[in-house]
Amino acid sequence: MIVLRREIGDVLRDARQRQGRTLREVSSAARVSLGYLSEVERGQKEASSELLASICEALDVPLSIVLREVSDRVAVAEGLLIPDTVPAELVGSVGDLGRDWARARGELARVG
């Protein structure tokens, strides 16, 4: 069974570790207790939308990218095919973020 909170926690932990940051650094920046952030990363606690946004901001990773990565992981677990490109119309419609999206996506991606 797919547990969404575990997938969210895995994506957040991967992003933090890729940045070489500690739980303490991110918990302080996100204004959440170290223990609670640890439980979120381990999939033991559900993060509210506000808390998730705060953690993403502390990691300097757009919430949309975290949610996309989680969605991709769930799709893989369900056996669905995931396109590995960003549609041109999407890239052009979101400006600088769109240009950086593919790079940021590559930094987060460890699906399958």
Side-chain angles (χ1 to χ4, degrees):
M1 176 193 316
I2 300 164
V3 180
L4 193 57
R5 70 176 180 265
R6 286 189 195 137
E7 297 300 330
I8 290 170
D10 287 346
V11 170
L12 293 173
R13 182 178 48 253
D14 289 348
R16 178 181 59 78
Q17 289 176 339
R18 259 191 304 286
Q19 293 176 12
R21 296 176 66 193
T22 66
L23 273 169
R24 186 174 310 282
E25 291 169 339
V26 176
S27 68
S28 177
R31 295 184 182 180
V32 61
S33 75
L34 187 144
Y36 196 81
L37 178 58
S38 175
E39 289 178 314
V40 167
E41 283 192 359
R42 289 181 283 141
Q44 295 177 337
K45 294 285 184 184
E46 296 273 354
S48 69
S49 57
E50 292 86 359
L51 178 62
L52 187 55
S54 181
I55 295 168
C56 288
E57 186 176 323
L59 290 169
D60 196 30
V61 175
L63 176 61
S64 60
I65 291 177
V66 169
L67 294 177
R68 174 63 190 256
E69 178 65 19
V70 170
S71 176
D72 287 353
R73 287 173 181 234
V74 170
V76 167
E78 293 174 336
L80 300 175
L81 179 64
I82 302 168
D84 61 353
T85 60
V86 178
E89 63 273 10
L90 176 62
V91 172
S93 69
V94 292
D96 291 338
L97 179 60
R99 284 189 284 280
D100 293 338
W101 192 87
R103 180 185 54 80
R105 168 107 169 81
E107 290 172 4
L108 287 178
R110 269 190 19 195
V111 175

